[in-house]
Amino acid sequence: MIYTMSVSGLYVADEVDGHLNVVTGVVWTLIGTDGTYTATKTGTDNIGPAHLDNFVPFGDLTEELVLTWIPNYGTALSPFFTRYMQYQAEIWVDILQQKGANIELAPFLPWEL
């Protein structure tokens, strides 16, 4: 399974602390594919003012830079990383269902027999 994350939108404030067109939120898309089937999840993360310390004008932003602003994206102990892993699992289940797998909640736990 291959997962890729991209930025699909930005929330922008017209002015913050003397800076114009300041990004305040990132809309992202996570895509998973097994080469044949594809599934996606989207989400939005508000970002704090930390990126103002090294302000980059709106017109000079790159997707790679903006992805680093998602709170703790890629950090194993961060809340986003936990959600990211959950989204990967949901994409995997979606692809299994596209392949025809019937996924249901088990009616009992094996150790309760």
Side-chain angles (χ1 to χ4, degrees), residues 2-68:
I2 297 171
Y3 297 95
T4 55
M5 181 168 254
S6 62
V7 174
S8 53
L10 298 172
Y11 286 95
V12 179
D14 56 353
E15 188 274 330
V16 176
D17 295 337
H19 299 291
L20 302 178
N21 299 320
V22 176
V23 175
T24 60
V26 177
V27 182
W28 49 263
T29 301
L30 179 63
I31 300 171
T33 184
D34 69 354
T36 302
Y37 296 91
T38 301
T40 62
K41 296 291 287 181
T42 59
T44 302
D45 278 279
N46 294 324
I47 58 173
H51 69 289
L52 292 178
D53 294 339
N54 297 305
F55 184 74
V56 176
F58 188 85
D60 294 336
L61 294 176
T62 64
E63 184 174 37
E64 293 77 21
L65 175 62
V66 172
L67 283 171
T68 69

Side-chain angles (χ1 to χ4, degrees), residues 77-89:
L77 299 178
S78 75
F80 183 81
F81 188 78
T82 302
R83 287 187 310 164
Y84 179 76
M85 297 304 291
Q86 175 186 347
Y87 297 147
Q88 283 186 344

